[in-house]
Amino acid sequence: MLETLQIDNIALIEKLEISFFKGLNILSGETGAGKSIIIDSLNFVLGTRADKSLISYGKETAKVSAFFDISDSPKVRDILAEMDIECDGDELVLTRIMTDAGKNTCRINGEKVTLAMLKEVAIALTDIYGQHEATGLLNDENHIFILDKYAKIALNKPLETQKQLWDEVNAIKKELAKYGSMSDVAKKTDILRFELDEIEKADLKDGEEEELLAKRKKFNNSRAISDALAAAQNYLNGDEGGAVTTVSGAKSELSSVEEYDPRYTELIERLDGAKIEIKDIAETLESLLEESEYNPYEAERVEERLALVRTLKRKYGATVADILAYADKIREELNFYDDAEYNIEKLNSALEIAQSKLLKNSKEIHGIREEYSKKLAVNICAQLKELGMNSATFYADITFDIEGVNESGADNVLFMFSANAGQPPKALSKVISGGELSRFMLAVKNIISDVDGIQTMVFDEIDTGISGRIAQVVAEKLYNISTDKQVLAVTHLPQLASMADAHYLIVKTTENGKTFTHVDLLDEEETLKEIARLLGGSEYGMHALPHAKEMKEYANNYKLR
């Protein structure tokens, strides 16, 4: 049950808090006062689509919070548990904020959630009937959902089974699609083996390309390398002397005076070490100089190998490591195709069994829908008769489409309707008028409210196209629903207003050049004045108030029945 609605910066509402009660909550007001803003705000916090035009002019954010009592809503608790959202007591708070940049923030009991999660919880809390839902009833594709809602308890298990079987069938088809036909398998494996053979013959090594590029660079600079090595070797140990000869000379000079200072001996020993190291370097340079000679055959081999690597990279991967990884993947795929014929046969057998089960379950669902469609037709016709449509006929035309089996069965459901005697029923969307549509929807809501488990129902101008005696019947119907549910109704009908357990007046005022909408909970005297206004206002003044009192008295007596 919706206990409180807090609205900040929505259209003409700057800040508003409304507390609602059990039973029938009526909202009325002059045309243009802002009744739709209240419903828009509720729709907003319940997750329906909204844009930044909803934000009050000059404000950067809009915020709506809805406080619910979920003591009688076990389904909501189950949904919250699945979402891992804590709910210790019986109060649940939904909050949605939107910025002028179009950013949405949604919270459930203070925890940040996605818009989809908010909407999932909201659907289990509140059912809103408005122009959009009426339009939805005219969409033939929605008729199956209404019937399924009515047959919900009977269909729960079969539809759950249908979904499981549907998923199983699609999973098998997905596996079969990986194989294709046996000719597809043969073609695929031929291609894979060719690719693997090409990679394996190349015998690539990880890091090989870098080594080849280094060798190529060396070959391309072989002359400069040889010259540098030769010059360095000559500096160290050339024919006309070099570092080795220079070091030997230095040692000889120091040896002639070694006896005069022990430090000379230390220097001589160090020169010995330097001489050995320089000779070793000179020999290494000589060896490197021999290696550096340009080898045209090796250079050609390097170029050919690099060309092969580049070709394989174009085909199989950006690097040698990628090519080797691709080869591993090919081996896995070939292993997968090894037993293709056996696996395809096995999968086809499993598919046949799953499809047979799916069809059988679809027929079971069809039978349940047929059974409940008859009950729905009887109930709707009875409700329509009470709503003044004595000659109305209705039934649900259900056709079983064996080629159209899906996760909800194989049925196409079309509501057939006739408002007048002697006229054959036709598709509801083709023949129903606005006033008839409102009454038809009320009949549906009155029937389904007993099975959907939703505790709060909202009717946005259910009185469209209704007047006179039928208006009284509609008022009584809504009150009947409100004995077990909380009902919020926006109305222009005095008959409906007189049935209110709580009556709210929506008023538009101007303050300091700005327009605001606010909502007042009316007391008994104010309620009578509002009913009188709905009856005819000032032009009907001297008669309206006594009439309003009579209507309120009739309503009070009706509630005592």
Side-chain angles (χ1 to χ4, degrees):
M1 183 185 85
L2 177 62
E3 293 186 318
T4 305
L5 188 66
Q6 293 178 347
I7 306 170
D8 294 303
N9 300 329
I10 297 286
L12 298 178
I13 298 175
E14 190 171 83
K15 195 170 189 65
L16 180 66
E17 180 174 308
I18 316 171
S19 294
F20 294 104
F21 303 91
K22 290 183 179 180
L24 182 57
N25 297 261
I26 294 295
L27 295 92
S28 65
E30 295 280 3
T31 300
K35 297 184 291 297
S36 62
I37 300 175
I38 306 300
I39 303 302
D40 287 346
S41 298
L42 185 56
N43 273 316
F44 173 71
V45 76
L46 295 178
T48 58
R49 187 176 179 180
D51 58 49
K52 59 185 181 181
S53 64
L54 202 63
I55 303 173
S56 299
Y57 176 74
K59 302 296 182 179
E60 295 180 353
T61 61
K63 176 183 177 183
V64 180
S65 295
F67 297 75
F68 288 88
D69 178 350
I70 59 170
S71 55
D72 294 324
S73 303
K75 182 181 177 181
V76 175
R77 291 186 182 277
D78 291 341
I79 294 172
L80 294 174
E82 289 175 8
M83 294 179 178
D84 290 326
I85 295 175
E86 293 186 7
C87 188
D88 296 330
D90 292 330
E91 186 176 71
L92 177 68
V93 184
L94 306 183
T95 302
R96 185 178 176 188
I97 301 171
M98 181 169 60
T99 69
D100 56 3
K103 182 181 178 182
N104 277 271
T105 302
C106 305
R107 296 185 184 277
I108 299 176
N109 279 359
E111 293 188 36
K112 197 170 182 178
V113 297
T114 64
L115 186 59
M117 292 168 70
L118 180 76
K119 196 169 185 177
E120 183 180 353
V121 173
I123 288 172
L125 285 167
T126 306
D127 185 9
I128 298 182
Y129 165 76
Q131 192 61 41
H132 175 74
E133 188 172 2
T135 304
L137 188 61
L138 298 178
N139 184 344
D140 298 343
E141 293 179 0
N142 291 332
H143 296 172
I144 192 170
F145 301 118
I146 295 173
L147 176 58
D148 284 2
K149 199 170 186 180
Y150 178 66
K152 181 178 179 180
I153 296 174
L155 281 174
N156 263 346
K157 185 61 179 176
L159 283 176
E160 183 181 328
T161 301
Q162 186 78 4
K163 178 66 166 61
Q164 292 170 352
L165 289 169
W166 177 251
D167 290 343
E168 182 182 344
V169 165
N170 283 318
I172 296 171
K173 286 181 176 179
K174 188 176 181 181
E175 284 300 308
L176 279 169
K178 292 179 182 178
Y179 289 104
S181 66
M182 283 306 300
S183 62
D184 292 333
V185 171
K187 290 176 185 176
K188 183 70 174 175
T189 51
D190 282 347
I191 292 170
L192 291 173
R193 288 193 179 101
F194 172 81
E195 291 178 341
L196 183 61
D197 185 58
E198 187 176 26
I199 294 171
E200 287 182 340
K201 280 183 178 178
D203 193 26
L204 298 177
K205 301 292 187 295
D206 198 11
E208 180 181 5
E209 185 180 17
E210 290 75 12
E211 291 179 14
L212 291 169
L213 289 171
K215 283 186 177 182
R216 175 207 263 174
K217 187 175 182 180
K218 203 171 178 184
F219 284 134
N220 290 342
N221 294 276
S222 58
R223 173 59 64 85
I225 293 170
S226 296
D227 289 348
L229 291 174
Q233 200 269 346
N234 190 54
Y235 277 122
L236 296 179
N237 197 18
D239 294 337
E240 298 178 0
V244 173
T245 301
T246 303
V247 170
S248 295
K251 177 186 173 186
S252 176
E253 293 294 335
L254 287 174
S255 295
S256 65
V257 292
E258 180 181 3
E259 60 182 293
Y260 302 115
D261 194 327
R263 287 178 295 176
Y264 303 158
T265 303
E266 181 184 346
L267 290 173
I268 291 169
E269 290 173 355
R270 289 172 65 186
L271 285 169
D272 276 337
K275 181 179 178 182
I276 294 170
E277 181 66 18
I278 291 170
K279 287 183 74 174
D280 184 62
I281 292 171
E283 291 171 0
T284 301
L285 285 171
E286 188 173 355
S287 176
L288 290 173
L289 186 59
E290 292 175 1
E291 291 178 13
S292 69
E293 290 182 7
Y294 180 74
N295 185 335
Y297 301 106
E298 178 64 12
E300 185 178 357
R301 187 197 72 80
V302 168
E303 288 300 330
E304 289 175 352
R305 190 68 177 167
L306 278 171
L308 176 62
V309 171
R310 284 196 296 269
T311 299
L312 294 177
K313 281 171 66 178
R314 280 197 303 271
K315 290 183 176 181
Y316 307 121
T319 64
V320 170
D322 290 338
I323 296 170
L324 295 175
Y326 181 70
D328 290 337
K329 184 180 176 182
I330 291 175
R331 293 184 188 97
E332 289 178 12
E333 285 194 60
L334 287 171
N335 288 335
F336 173 76
Y337 287 119
D338 274 348
D339 299 319
E341 188 172 1
Y342 170 76
N343 289 336
I344 289 173
E345 185 178 341
K346 187 177 177 181
L347 285 168
N348 277 321
S349 177
L351 179 61
E352 187 177 343
I353 293 170
Q355 287 178 325
S356 177
K357 289 180 179 178
L358 185 67
L359 182 60
K360 182 181 178 181
N361 197 70
S362 297
K363 290 178 179 177
E364 181 185 344
I365 290 170
H366 176 73
I368 294 171
R369 284 177 176 147
E370 286 276 15
E371 177 188 351
Y372 276 83
S373 71
K374 294 179 176 66
K375 295 178 182 179
L376 179 64
V378 170
N379 285 336
I380 285 183
C381 287
Q383 290 285 333
L384 292 176
K385 189 172 183 179
E386 292 178 16
L387 288 164
M389 300 174 70
N390 296 322
S391 301
T393 54
F394 165 81
Y395 69 91
D397 181 40
I398 306 176
T399 56
F400 188 83
D401 180 11
I402 196 169
E403 299 297 327
V405 177
N406 56 44
E407 62 184 336
S408 63
D411 295 318
N412 295 312
V413 178
L414 180 64
F415 286 173
M416 307 296 288
F417 174 78
S418 172
N420 304 304
Q423 295 294 318
K426 296 181 180 179
L428 180 78
S429 59
K430 305 297 183 184
V431 296
I432 198 164
S433 68
E436 291 165 349
L437 183 61
S438 293
R439 282 182 275 177
F440 187 91
M441 181 57 76
L442 181 57
V444 171
K445 292 294 183 184
N446 205 33
I447 294 165
I448 292 179
S449 66
D450 293 331
V451 296
D452 63 10
I454 293 174
Q455 295 301 309
T456 299
M457 302 184 71
V458 181
F459 294 89
D460 185 10
E461 299 191 1
I462 189 69
D463 50 23
T464 300
I466 295 172
S467 61
R469 184 181 65 82
I470 301 306
Q472 185 61 44
V473 177
V474 169
E476 292 169 6
K477 286 288 182 187
L478 280 184
Y479 174 76
N480 292 344
I481 295 174
S482 74
T483 57
D484 295 317
K485 310 264 186 182
Q486 180 192 45
V487 174
L488 278 63
V490 176
T491 188
H492 296 288
L493 290 177
Q495 293 92 333
L496 186 49
S498 66
M499 280 287 178
D501 294 313
H503 193 143
Y504 301 83
L505 180 63
I506 301 171
V507 182
K508 184 164 66 175
T509 60
T510 302
E511 302 170 20
N512 300 321
K514 292 182 68 176
T515 304
F516 298 96
T517 290
H518 59 91
V519 180
D520 298 324
L521 176 60
L522 304 182
D523 59 24
E524 185 176 348
E525 183 179 348
E526 291 167 335
T527 297
L528 290 174
K529 288 180 180 179
E530 175 59 8
I531 296 172
R533 185 192 69 79
L534 293 171
L535 281 164
S538 58
E539 296 178 5
Y540 188 53
M542 62 182 293
H543 305 288
L545 193 56
H547 193 178
K549 289 178 181 178
E550 289 178 7
M551 294 183 73
K552 192 64 182 175
E553 184 177 348
Y554 173 86
N556 290 337
N557 290 332
Y558 179 85
K559 293 177 183 181
L560 295 175
R561 294 178 189 176

